[in-house]
Amino acid sequence: LHIAILAPILFLTIYWIIRDRYRVRNLSGKHVFITGCDTGLGNSLAKWLDKKGFCVIAACATEKGSQELRSCSSLSLKTVNLNLADSNSIARAVVFVTEQTAGKGLFGLVSNAEGTAPVGPTDWLRIEDFHSVLDVSLLGLIEVTLKLLPLLKKAEGRVVNLVNAKGLMAFVGSGYSLSKWGMEAFSDTLRIEMQHFGVKVSIVEHGFFKAEEINSDIIEKYLFKLWNRLTPEIRDSYGEKYLVE
């Protein structure tokens, strides 16, 4: 009985040790496209991969973010402006990535950007509140991935979707959790389909970072904004005490 229990544990331990020793070789010429690089995790990842020797193409939502990232990186790091809610912006970024990879294909796609999501009870929200996050965090991610799949297949690359674990806990109404669960489902399906082409698909569920700590003042501001636009009927159904509590 003890052997039957220990054998699988020993096998898994050896497997993890061997797998963790695996390192990507010949980093020069391997292109990685990362979205959401203005600040936070995407910004840090772009700098780290740049130092490791990858050819990083960093997508930023603002010109300021692009300039600041280039100022502290090597000359091989390239930036491109990207609005994930705009198909034309996505198309321009794909053309840029295609030109930068120069026929080599894309070694990695890391999707990180998040849309802004008003947080509050579901019947306080409007459909545009859901669009504000889903168009960026889910539909934008899907569109970028679909358009870059030919380059990823050419290089037998990998897709890495970063999912904030707080979005997997549906404790309040908003499109935020919807986008994260949608990313998980899209990634799981794509992983199965891309095995045939040698393309790996991974999900990285991360927690809070210092730069992403919840600001209670911002949440309160959102709640009051939502409250003030409610119809009298909905406001009366909750009562003034609900907002205070």
Side-chain angles (χ1 to χ4, degrees):
L1 181 61
H2 290 297
I3 294 176
I5 295 174
L6 290 174
I9 295 175
L10 181 60
F11 172 79
L12 288 173
T13 301
I14 295 173
Y15 168 78
W16 282 108
I17 291 173
I18 294 174
R19 200 193 76 158
D20 287 350
R21 287 182 176 177
Y22 175 76
R23 294 289 183 272
V24 177
R25 307 296 178 187
N26 303 318
L27 305 184
S28 178
K30 287 183 168 60
H31 290 81
V32 180
F33 180 55
I34 310 170
T35 66
C37 293
D38 294 80
T39 59
L41 186 56
N43 183 277
S44 298
L45 180 62
K47 294 175 183 175
W48 187 78
L49 291 179
D50 177 54
K51 289 179 180 178
K52 289 290 182 181
F54 285 98
C55 297
V56 176
I57 307 172
C60 297
T62 64
E63 184 58 35
K64 179 183 178 182
S66 295
Q67 292 176 355
E68 290 179 350
L69 182 56
R70 288 197 302 268
S71 69
C72 57
S73 304
S74 75
L75 293 177
S76 68
L77 183 143
K78 307 298 181 182
T79 62
V80 59
N81 289 345
L82 175 62
N83 177 2
L84 283 170
D86 182 355
S87 291
N88 291 327
S89 179
I90 291 173
R92 288 192 293 269
V94 169
V95 170
F96 183 80
V97 173
T98 303
E99 293 172 346
Q100 291 297 314
T101 54
K104 298 178 182 178
L106 186 62
F107 179 77
L109 166 62
V110 182
S111 292
N112 169 62
E114 295 189 340
T116 57
V119 175
T122 299
D123 60 348
W124 291 22
L125 304 174
R126 299 172 181 172
I127 192 63
E128 55 264 32
D129 297 322
F130 289 89
H131 276 295
S132 68
V133 62
L134 292 174
D135 287 350
V136 173
S137 297
L138 182 58
L139 298 179
L141 173 148
I142 292 173
E143 186 170 356
V144 166
T145 305
L146 292 178
K147 290 186 175 180
L148 289 176
L149 278 179
L151 294 179
L152 288 160
K153 285 159 54 172
K154 187 169 187 176
E156 293 190 355
R158 62 266 300 126
V159 177
V160 181
N161 290 328
L162 305 183
V163 179
N164 197 320
K166 68 184 179 183
L168 300 177
M169 299 176 286
F171 58 89
V172 68
S174 79
Y176 192 77
S177 291
L178 292 177
S179 71
K180 300 312 169 190
W181 283 106
M183 287 172 65
E184 295 260 343
F186 176 71
S187 302
D188 289 343
T189 302
L190 190 66
R191 183 184 304 113
I192 297 170
E193 296 168 343
M194 288 297 108
Q195 285 180 351
H196 176 72
F197 302 98
V199 175
K200 299 178 177 63
V201 180
S202 303
I203 302 169
V204 176
E205 296 175 357
H206 61 85
F208 287 103
F209 288 84
K210 188 174 182 180
E212 300 173 341
E213 288 177 354
I214 294 177
N215 188 322
S216 58
D217 292 336
I218 295 177
I219 293 177
E220 186 176 331
K221 182 180 178 181
Y222 265 128
L223 285 173
F224 275 103
K225 183 178 179 180
L226 294 175
W227 175 263
N228 290 331
R229 77 179 191 188
L230 292 177
T231 63
E233 291 79 12
I234 295 179
R235 201 179 298 174
D236 290 342
S237 71
Y238 281 89
E240 295 285 349
K241 289 185 177 180
Y242 184 90
L243 186 62
V244 176
E245 294 173 355

